[in-house]
Amino acid sequence: VASGSKLVSGGMRKNPTLICVPIMGESVDKMVVDMGKANASGADLVEIRLDGLKNFNPRENIKTLIKESPVPTLFTYRPIWEGGQYDGDENERVDVLRLAMELGADYIDVELQVAREFNDSIRGKKPEKCKVIVSSHNYQYTPSVEDLSNLVARIQASGADIVKFATTALDITDVARVFQITVHSQVPIIGLVMGERGLISRILCAKFGGFLTFGTLENGIVSAPGQPTIKDLLDLYNFRQMGPDTKVFGIIGKPVGHSKSPILYNEAFKSVGFNGVFVHLLVDDIAKFFQTYSSNDFAGFSCTIPHKEAAVKCCDEVDTVAKSIGAVNCIIRRQSDGKLFGYNTDYVGAISAIEDGLRGRLNVSGGVSSALAGKLFVVIGAGGAGKALAYGAKAKGARVVIANRTYGESLTFLRLMSWLLLNTLLFDSVIVIRILLFTWHLKFFIAANIIHLGNHLEWVTAAFNLFFYLTCNSYVVMEKTEILRT
C-alpha cells in the first residue's frame, strides 16, 4: 500500500459516539436479561423504555433496573403524544422520571413540550452525574436547516444537558440537513432521521460528531423506525473506527436494503486497513442525491436498479465501455476536484462468472477463445444490467437473444448495441415477453442460479480496486479469492 493512502489499524476507538441499546421488555426480568445481552454485545449504555412495562411499580422496578444494569442507564417514559405507549396521567409520568433521577439514573429523556417545567422542578436537586436529554420527534418530515437550528436553540433554552431531535426522511437528501446541524453543534447533540431513507444518519453520526446512536439487540425489535442492530453497527459498519476523515461509499438503488454489497466492501476495507465505510443508500432521485452529497466525504458509489442509466447523465466523465453500454454501476468522486467518473463493471462480473461456470460444467480450461463463443445467450430485460450483459456476451462471440416486456425498448437497445459493436443491424432475435409476472420470476431464477455470488464477487472486486485506487491515489489489487476469504 502506498504511503499516500489513508489507513486505520488496530481496534482502538476513533470516535466518542456512544451506542445505546433500547430495552423494551414487558417485564423487569426480561429487561434485566436484555441489559446483560446489551453489555455482552458492546453497548455503552441502555435506554430503558418504562412505557413498555406491564404491572409497573415505579420505585421498586427502577431500583432493580439500576442495580442490575451492567452499563449506564437512560430512562425514557414516552407518552403516546410523542410516539410512545404511556397514556396515563402526565403528572405521574413526570414524577417517575424525577424518581429515576433521584435513584441513580445516568440519563433522563424528557420531551421538549414538558422540559422547561421539568428542569425548573429539579433545579438544585439534580445529581451531578445525571444528564437530562431533551428530545423532540417529528414523525412527518425533516424541517429546513433554519427550522432545525431554531429547534435546537429551543431545546437548549429549555435547560437540556444534551440536545436530541429525530425527524422523518421523505428523501435521503433530508439527512444532509441533519448532518449539517450535527457537525456544527457546540453542545452534545443527538440528531437522527427515522425510516429506511434515514439509515445513514444512525451510522454516520460517528463521523459527523453525534453524541449517540441506537442499536437494537435484534432485527425488527426497534424503539423507532430504521434502527440498525448493534451487531451491524460494530461488525458490519466498523462503527468504532469511524472518524471525521472516514470516506463514505455506498450502493445507490431502490430497493436497496437486500444488497449484500456492504458486507463484502466493509470486510474488504477492514482487511486492507482502508478508512472507509460502505452503506445502503435508498435513493429516489439520483441527480438530486449527487447535488446534495457533493463533498469529497462521499467518495464512491455502486449503482443498481433503477438508476444505472440515469447515473450516466450525473457523471462528469464516463468510461468508454460504460458509455457504449449506456449504463453506469460504479461511480468515483475524484478527490482533487470533486468530479464524478462513471464506470461499468457489470459486464465484467457477470460475464466472468458465467464463463467460469461454463468452463467448470463443460470441464474445459481457459483458452484463447471465450467459453461463451458461439453459445446462445438469453438476456431478460433491456435495462442497465441487460445492456451490460448483452454487450459483454456479444463481445465474447455469443449469439444474443433479448427478452423484454416491450418491443420498442428492445429494438432501440439492440440497434444501439449492434452499432456500437460494429455488427449487424440487430442481434440474432428479439423476444417480447408481455407478462410482467413471468418476466420477473424468470429473471430472478436466472440471476439466482446462473450468476449468483460469482457475479457479485467479480463485480465487487473490480469496483473495490477502482474505489481504492482513485480515492487513495495508491494501488492495491484485491483478488476475488481475497474478498471471498474475508
Side-chain angles (χ1 to χ4, degrees):
V1 179
S3 59
S5 61
K6 298 179 179 180
L7 305 177
V8 292
S9 60
M12 192 169 64
R13 189 167 183 158
K14 304 292 183 183
N15 67 75
T17 304
L18 304 176
I19 298 179
C20 179
V21 171
I23 305 296
M24 300 169 291
E26 293 187 349
S27 70
V28 170
D29 288 344
K30 177 68 165 63
M31 284 187 162
V32 169
V33 170
D34 286 347
M35 288 191 296
K37 290 179 180 178
N39 181 50
S41 298
D44 297 299
L45 70 158
V46 291
E47 179 192 34
I48 298 172
R49 289 293 300 258
L50 297 174
D51 48 305
L53 280 172
K54 308 296 183 186
N55 304 315
F56 181 37
N57 182 320
R59 182 171 292 274
E60 179 183 330
N61 292 164
I62 292 173
K63 270 187 177 180
T64 300
L65 290 165
I66 292 174
K67 179 184 176 184
E68 296 297 327
S69 179
V71 293
T73 54
L74 158 61
F75 280 85
T76 300
Y77 202 13
R78 192 76 73 217
I80 283 180
W81 50 263
E82 190 79 5
Q85 298 183 56
Y86 180 80
D87 62 352
D89 181 78
E90 184 63 18
N91 291 326
E92 290 180 12
R93 186 183 74 86
V94 175
D95 286 343
V96 167
L97 291 174
R98 273 193 288 264
L99 177 63
M101 181 192 70
E102 293 165 8
L103 292 176
D106 298 282
Y107 302 90
I108 300 294
D109 184 307
V110 181
E111 298 75 22
L112 176 59
Q113 186 172 320
V114 297
R116 189 177 293 276
E117 181 183 347
F118 177 86
N119 283 321
D120 287 344
S121 74
I122 62 171
R123 189 163 284 115
K125 305 174 186 176
K126 182 165 78 77
E128 182 67 25
K129 80 160 193 170
C130 185
K131 302 298 180 185
V132 175
I133 300 173
V134 175
S135 62
S136 172
H137 299 78
N138 186 324
Y139 293 95
Q140 282 74 48
Y141 64 98
T142 298
S144 66
V145 170
E146 182 180 359
D147 287 345
L148 287 174
S149 296
N150 292 336
L151 174 63
V152 169
R154 292 206 320 273
I155 293 175
Q156 284 183 260
S158 73
D161 295 311
I162 300 164
V163 170
K164 177 189 173 187
F165 67 90
T167 66
T168 298
L170 302 181
D171 189 277
I172 194 170
T173 57
D174 294 344
V175 183
R177 300 198 288 279
V178 173
F179 287 154
Q180 187 175 342
I181 295 295
T182 302
V183 78
H184 291 108
S185 178
Q186 301 300 308
V187 298
I189 190 167
I190 305 164
L192 302 171
V193 187
M194 296 179 282
E196 188 180 355
R197 290 170 176 80
L199 175 63
I200 57 172
S201 72
R202 301 180 179 277
I203 300 166
L204 301 182
C205 57
K207 171 180 170 64
F208 292 106
F211 181 76
L212 67 73
T213 192
F214 293 90
T216 66
L217 288 176
E218 299 175 40
N219 271 314
I221 311 297
V222 301
S223 59
Q227 290 173 345
T229 64
I230 184 171
K231 178 175 174 54
D232 280 351
L233 286 172
L234 292 174
D235 298 340
L236 173 57
Y237 299 113
N238 208 19
F239 189 83
R240 304 290 193 204
Q241 299 299 304
M242 265 187 267
D245 295 332
T246 298
K247 294 297 182 184
V248 180
F249 300 81
I251 178 161
I252 295 170
K254 182 184 179 181
V256 77
H258 62 282
S259 173
K260 304 301 181 189
S261 291
I263 297 173
L264 292 169
Y265 280 109
N266 285 319
E267 285 298 328
F269 289 167
K270 278 190 277 187
S271 73
V272 298
F274 177 59
N275 187 12
V277 62
F278 194 98
V279 295
H280 291 106
L281 300 166
L282 179 56
V283 172
D284 297 283
D285 183 332
I286 191 169
K288 182 180 179 183
F289 173 84
F290 282 123
Q291 288 165 7
T292 303
Y293 296 98
S294 57
S295 80
N296 282 354
D297 284 329
F298 294 84
F301 311 89
S302 300
C303 192
T304 188
I305 57 171
H307 300 305
K308 293 185 181 187
E309 294 167 280
V312 174
K313 297 178 182 177
C314 298
C315 296
D316 297 293
E317 293 186 29
V318 178
D319 175 72
T320 304
V321 172
K323 192 178 294 183
S324 297
I325 293 170
V328 158
N329 77 315
C330 180
I331 301 170
I332 314 243
R333 175 169 278 122
R334 190 163 62 188
Q335 296 297 290
S336 60
D337 57 12
K339 286 188 175 180
L340 295 175
F341 286 75
Y343 301 86
N344 194 302
T345 61
D346 268 339
Y347 82 102
V348 176
I351 297 302
S352 297
I354 293 170
E355 284 181 315
D356 289 347
L358 284 173
R359 288 192 191 102
R361 188 169 296 177
L362 301 174
N363 198 24
V364 249
S365 58
V368 178
S369 65
S370 167
L372 279 169
K375 299 288 190 300
L376 179 65
F377 192 96
V378 180
V379 179
I380 301 181
K387 289 178 179 177
L389 281 162
Y391 179 95
K394 190 65 179 177
K396 295 289 187 176
R399 295 179 295 115
V400 177
V401 172
I402 306 298
N404 194 58
R405 286 175 293 126
T406 55
Y407 179 80
E409 186 175 348
S410 300
L411 194 60
T412 302
F413 167 35
L414 289 174
R415 283 175 174 153
L416 172 65
M417 286 310 207
S418 299
W419 178 80
L420 290 169
L421 290 166
L422 302 177
N423 214 304
T424 55
L425 176 62
L426 297 181
F427 282 21
D428 297 279
S429 59
V430 177
I431 299 174
V432 180
I433 298 177
R434 298 187 180 278
I435 304 173
L436 177 61
L437 186 61
F438 175 73
T439 303
W440 277 104
H441 282 187
L442 190 56
K443 186 174 183 179
F444 175 79
F445 176 81
I446 292 175
N449 288 281
I450 295 181
I451 300 172
H452 196 50
L453 182 61
N455 175 25
H456 210 66
L457 286 173
E458 297 278 2
W459 180 83
V460 166
T461 302
F464 172 82
N465 290 324
L466 279 170
F467 284 161
F468 198 95
Y469 178 70
L470 294 173
T471 302
C472 297
N473 295 317
S474 59
Y475 193 64
V476 169
V477 174
M478 174 154 288
E479 299 293 344
K480 179 175 65 173
T481 51
E482 292 179 88
I483 291 182
L484 184 56
R485 186 166 61 248
T486 60

